[in-house]
């Protein structure tokens, strides 16, 4: 270790890690702050508390990708601010959880007076992902009732009048009417204020989860109507019964829906510099964590796989993947991607035309990017009506990032978007392979196509490609050389022993069509040149294929890969409709 460990806190430079147990266990799957701090290593993000207290915002919405620490931060706020409810058997004075963290010493310790000083309403909407409105409404009701039960001491409060206690008892006793539930948030803030004489803090985690489920399952109007009334009544209170509120989510639902009547909401996204260090792990935090765990030697590899996000002015690592990487003996894998269906990428790749797939392939090239304006109020359901919303959705979900974070609230600034790291690149690659395996007739057929290509077997390759052409009409609009080009590039992803295909790059005395570069010894570099001609017959296709093959030689497209230990394979391929011809040659060392 290069830092110091004392009283459960590891310090290295400006970074603090809490490990009260001293066991160097990682908080895999622990979203609750108290449990995580008591039993595992936690990166100190407690200055978020100071940021919230110093902010002039009455209501703040934090939008970050999934598994970037939103729930852990929200439960941290709850642990810090809450007056332990007398009726909650799990409640305790949480000061000891924070005594070694940055917030305890910040600004001469002036934030300590806020610890354990507020009644807190905390609700996570993560369970409200239902297929119909009735089930969703019941799930919402249960969350609300259980939060009332957590504050069960209000039933006997001498500060409440008889009518207020009767209302509380109806909700906490599972006898609430629909009207009682619709006003339950603002009423609980008022009851808590009346009892404690201190305005409560409201924390709503994953606020967008029920809206996303509603959009996917056809009850959006009912859900938006409920949440709009439920949230607005309490959060637009103007400070009369509310200290402040924080909400988290992945997507920023447009103000025209849930928040249309809420004019005191401040939205903080990954483009903003404020709070930019509070979500995800910074470089210094990951380095300190690696040193503390005795894994500093793996730092360069981890950076390639899990770094690369840009939040405001800070470079950020994916925290979920970093923790799982350490917990799995430093084995690189798409840990973050394995926690979701990766629906945004899947939807894009599944229906993308040649133009869109060209952009996807470009993203997968080294240094690849696309340029697009970001509208961070989009949701997944907007894609059908607004195809350009795709890039914004991928950004919000964490599948793209940008270094162009100026003017974070502008929908007109065109930004350069890129894939952040190898983990996310592997997710794109997997989705591309899955799509083109289906086009090829299955994964086995795709493997046979790759084997024929690597073996230099022109006849077998032509046979496999012909099978694709006969079955791909419904998947691809094959009307130009570009459409065949995009199809073939997609089919070449996942070839064993090779990196991603690269196309239309300068080499020799021109720009080659497609290239596959080997990633292990004993495999040839492969260069392909394509031709297309409408109405061409068999003889003409063979002549065009020979012409394409000769072009590789004449323009020295594969000169720079001549050092491959197995030489270089060359293919000239000509297409017309569902017919093709393949010519092959080999450049030896």
């Amino acid at each position: 270790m290069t830092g110091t460990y004392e009283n459960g806190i590891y310090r290295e430079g400006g970074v603090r890690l809490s490990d009260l147990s001293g066991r160097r266990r990682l908080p895999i799957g622990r979203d609750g702050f108290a449990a995580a701090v008591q039993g595992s290593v936690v990166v100190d993000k407690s200055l978020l508390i100071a940021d919230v207290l110093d902010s002039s915002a009455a209501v703040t919405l934090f939008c970050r990708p999934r598994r970037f620490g939103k729930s852990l931060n929200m439960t941290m706020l709850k642990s810090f601010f809450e007056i332990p409810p007398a009726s909650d058997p799990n409640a305790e004075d949480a000061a000891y959880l924070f005594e070694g963290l940055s917030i305890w010493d910040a600004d001469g310790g002036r934030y300590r007076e806020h610890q354990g000083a507020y009644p807190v309403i905390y609700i996570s909407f993560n369970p409200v992902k239902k297929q119909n409105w009735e089930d969703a409404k019941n799930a919402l009701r249960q969350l609300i009732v259980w939060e009332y039960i957590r504050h069960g001491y209000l039933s006997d409060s001498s500060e409440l009048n008889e009518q207020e206690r009767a209302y509380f008892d109806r909700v906490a006793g599972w006898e609430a009417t629909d009207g009682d539930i619709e006003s339950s948030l603002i009423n609980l803030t008022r009851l808590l204020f009346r009892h404690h004489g201190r305005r409560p803090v409201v924390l709503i985690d994953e606020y967008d989860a029920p809206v996303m489920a509603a959009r996917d399952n056809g009850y959006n109007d009912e859900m938006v109507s409920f949440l709009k009334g439920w949230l607005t009544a309490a959060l637009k209170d103007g400070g009369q019964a509310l200290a402040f509120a924080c909400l988290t989510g992945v997507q920023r639902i447009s103000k025209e829906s849930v928040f249309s009547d809420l004019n005191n909401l401040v939205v903080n996204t990954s483009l903003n510099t404020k709070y930019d260090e509070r979500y995800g792990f910074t470089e210094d935090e990951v380095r300190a964590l690696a040193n503390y765990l005795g894994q500093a030697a793996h730092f360069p590899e981890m950076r390639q796989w899990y770094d690369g996000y840009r939040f405001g002015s800070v470079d950020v690592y994916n925290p979920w993947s970093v923790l799982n990487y350490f917990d799995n003996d430093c084995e690189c894998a798409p840990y973050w991607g394995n926690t979701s269906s990766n629906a945004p990428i899947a939807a894009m790749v599944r229906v993308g035309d040649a133009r869109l797939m060209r952009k996807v392939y470009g993203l997968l090239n080294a240094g690849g990017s696309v340029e697009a304006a970001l509208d961070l109020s989009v949701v997944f359901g907007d894609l059908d009506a607004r195809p350009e919303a795709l890039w914004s959705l991928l950004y919000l979900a964490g599948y793209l990032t940008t270094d162009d974070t100026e003017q974070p609230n502008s929908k007109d600034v065109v930004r350069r978007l890129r894939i952040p790291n190898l983990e996310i690149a592997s997710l794109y690659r997997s989705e591309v392979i899955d799509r083109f395996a289906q086009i090829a007739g299955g994964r086995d057929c795709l493997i046979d196509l790759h084997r024929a290509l690597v073996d230099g077997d022109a006849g077998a390759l032509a046979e496999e490609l012909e099978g694709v052409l006969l079955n791909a009409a419904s998947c691809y609009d094959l009307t130009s050389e570009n459409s065949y080009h995009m199809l073939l590039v997609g089919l070449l992803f996942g070839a064993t022993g090779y990196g991603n295909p690269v196309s239309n790059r300068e080499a020799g005395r021109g720009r080659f069509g497609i290239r596959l570069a080997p990633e292990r010894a004993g495999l040839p570099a492969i260069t392909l040149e394509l031709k297309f001609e409408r109405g061409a017959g068999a003889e003409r296709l063979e002549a065009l294929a020979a012409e394409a093959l000769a072009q590789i030689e004449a323009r020295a497209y594969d000169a720079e890969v001549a050092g491959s230990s197995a030489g270089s394979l060359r293919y000239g391929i000509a297409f017309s409709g569902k017919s093709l011809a393949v010519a092959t040659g080999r450049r030896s060392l």
Side-chain angles (χ1 to χ4, degrees):
M1 295 191 301
T2 59
T4 60
Y5 178 84
E6 185 178 0
N7 297 326
I9 303 296
Y10 175 76
R11 290 175 171 85
E12 182 176 313
V15 176
R16 300 188 191 191
L17 308 178
S18 176
D19 186 13
L20 299 184
S21 72
R23 299 172 63 185
R24 290 184 170 83
R25 295 176 60 185
L26 296 171
I28 305 299
R30 296 190 181 193
D31 291 333
F33 177 79
V37 172
Q38 288 165 352
S40 55
V41 181
V42 174
V43 174
D44 180 11
K45 294 290 185 178
S46 63
L47 288 180
L48 173 65
I49 297 165
D51 293 341
V52 170
L53 287 170
D54 293 341
S55 172
S56 59
V59 184
T60 304
L61 167 61
F62 296 103
C63 293
R64 296 294 188 278
R66 59 186 170 82
R67 305 238 178 231
F68 267 75
K70 298 187 300 297
S71 295
L72 188 63
N73 276 351
M74 288 290 271
T75 54
M76 177 185 69
L77 294 178
K78 174 179 177 290
S79 291
F80 185 85
F81 288 121
E82 186 163 46
I83 300 168
S87 51
D88 185 350
N90 298 315
E92 62 176 351
D93 182 355
Y96 75 98
L97 300 175
F98 296 92
E99 287 175 353
L101 302 184
S102 298
I103 189 61
W104 210 247
D105 305 325
D107 201 6
R110 75 176 181 89
Y111 297 103
R112 296 180 192 178
E113 65 178 331
H114 296 278
Q115 193 276 317
Y118 299 82
V120 172
I121 299 170
Y122 174 86
I123 295 178
S124 172
F125 279 157
N126 183 56
V128 191
K129 300 175 183 177
K130 305 300 181 181
Q131 294 185 345
N132 59 71
W133 169 234
E134 283 302 314
D135 288 347
K137 185 167 65 173
N138 288 334
L140 288 166
R141 177 183 289 265
Q142 288 190 40
L143 291 174
I144 292 165
V145 170
W146 279 113
E147 185 61 10
Y148 268 66
I149 292 172
R150 204 171 70 85
H151 293 282
Y153 56 89
L154 293 176
S155 180
D156 300 320
S157 173
S158 60
E159 301 298 325
L160 307 187
N161 62 38
E162 185 176 345
Q163 290 79 13
E164 289 168 334
R165 288 194 297 271
Y167 168 82
F168 180 88
D169 288 342
R170 281 201 311 277
V171 178
W174 301 92
E175 297 176 351
T177 66
D178 286 348
D180 290 336
I181 294 296
E182 289 166 5
S183 60
S184 58
L185 183 57
I186 188 171
N187 285 340
L188 187 54
T189 64
R190 290 168 173 166
L191 297 176
L192 288 170
F193 184 29
R194 183 76 64 85
H195 175 82
H196 291 280
R198 188 91 189 238
R199 292 179 177 85
V201 172
V202 173
L203 304 173
I204 307 294
D205 196 19
E206 298 198 50
Y207 90 99
D208 56 339
V211 181
M212 295 301 98
R215 289 204 176 208
D216 290 343
N217 293 288
Y219 57 93
N220 181 70
D221 290 348
E222 294 91 336
M223 180 60 74
V224 167
S225 177
F226 173 83
L227 288 179
K228 183 176 180 180
W230 188 76
L231 287 169
T232 301
L235 303 186
K236 199 178 180 180
D237 175 76
Q240 302 198 9
L242 176 69
F244 57 86
C246 294
L247 299 85
T248 69
V250 172
Q251 300 186 39
R252 170 184 173 176
I253 309 300
S254 68
K255 287 192 175 183
E256 287 70 31
S257 55
V258 175
F259 300 123
S260 60
D261 295 330
L262 198 62
N263 56 14
N264 61 341
L265 173 72
V266 173
V267 181
N268 182 272
T269 72
S270 301
L271 292 176
N272 295 99
T273 55
K274 190 173 184 179
Y275 305 105
D276 55 8
E277 295 186 7
R278 308 307 181 217
Y279 293 90
F281 290 164
T282 67
E283 175 101 353
D284 287 344
E285 289 167 345
V286 174
R287 191 179 298 276
L289 189 59
N291 289 335
Y292 182 62
L293 297 174
Q295 300 290 358
H298 295 279
F299 190 77
E301 177 184 63
M302 184 170 49
R303 178 190 286 127
Q304 285 189 311
W305 267 81
Y306 307 119
D307 188 16
Y309 290 93
R310 184 78 168 183
F311 288 0
S313 60
V314 176
D315 292 326
V316 174
Y317 287 71
N318 184 317
W320 175 260
S321 294
V322 167
L323 293 175
N324 278 274
Y325 173 80
F326 285 132
D327 199 50
N328 286 275
D329 298 322
C330 298
E331 178 183 346
C332 292
Y335 299 108
W336 184 77
N338 290 339
T339 64
S340 168
S341 64
N342 302 305
I345 299 180
M348 173 181 65
V349 172
R350 186 172 59 250
V351 302
D353 58 15
R355 180 180 178 183
L356 178 57
M357 293 309 296
R358 179 181 291 277
K359 293 183 177 181
V360 174
Y361 301 152
L363 279 169
L364 285 165
N365 290 335
S369 64
V370 297
E371 292 187 344
L374 293 178
D375 178 0
L376 301 189
S377 65
V378 302
V379 293
F380 195 67
D382 291 340
L383 285 179
D384 292 338
R386 301 170 55 198
E388 72 278 4
L390 170 67
W391 306 113
S392 299
L393 183 65
L394 290 170
Y395 174 79
L396 281 167
Y399 297 103
L400 291 174
T401 191
T402 182
D403 299 314
D404 303 328
T405 57
E406 299 81 8
Q407 302 182 56
N409 297 317
S410 175
K411 298 179 182 179
D412 300 321
V413 174
V414 176
R415 308 177 196 272
R416 178 178 168 271
L417 306 174
R418 58 178 174 80
I419 294 173
N421 51 45
L422 291 181
E423 177 183 31
I424 305 303
S426 73
L427 302 180
Y428 281 86
R429 177 183 169 95
S430 293
E431 293 295 343
V432 170
I433 292 171
D434 285 347
R435 177 188 179 180
F436 285 92
Q438 293 178 8
I439 290 175
R443 188 60 66 95
D444 288 344
C445 292
L446 189 61
I447 291 172
D448 289 343
L449 188 154
H450 292 162
R451 183 179 298 113
L453 179 78
V454 176
D455 289 346
D457 190 336
L461 179 61
E463 183 178 342
E464 295 295 336
L465 287 175
E466 185 177 35
V468 171
L469 295 180
L470 292 173
N471 294 297
S474 61
C475 304
Y476 246 82
D477 184 17
L478 300 173
T479 58
S480 65
E481 182 175 326
N482 180 62
S483 58
Y484 287 98
H485 183 102
M486 290 296 101
L487 173 63
L488 190 54
V489 171
L491 289 167
L492 297 184
F493 274 88
T496 302
Y498 287 86
N500 295 336
V502 177
S503 66
N504 290 322
R505 293 286 187 89
E506 289 190 7
R509 292 182 289 276
R511 301 176 72 90
F512 61 76
I514 306 171
R515 175 178 295 162
L516 276 176
E519 294 185 331
R520 71 184 190 201
L523 293 174
I526 301 173
T527 303
L528 303 94
E529 189 63 32
L530 277 61
K531 299 291 183 183
F532 167 77
E533 185 175 294
R534 295 180 186 278
E539 290 187 9
R540 177 58 180 160
L541 284 173
E542 289 179 4
L544 286 170
E547 180 184 326
L549 182 62
Q551 183 174 322
I552 298 174
E553 170 71 23
R555 299 188 182 178
Y557 287 155
D558 56 357
E560 67 184 70
V561 297
S564 172
S565 61
S568 175
L569 271 174
R570 300 165 172 173
Y571 283 95
I573 306 178
F575 294 97
S576 180
K578 295 184 180 295
S579 300
L580 76 153
V582 177
T584 187
R586 184 183 293 271
R587 174 177 176 166
S588 302
L589 293 176

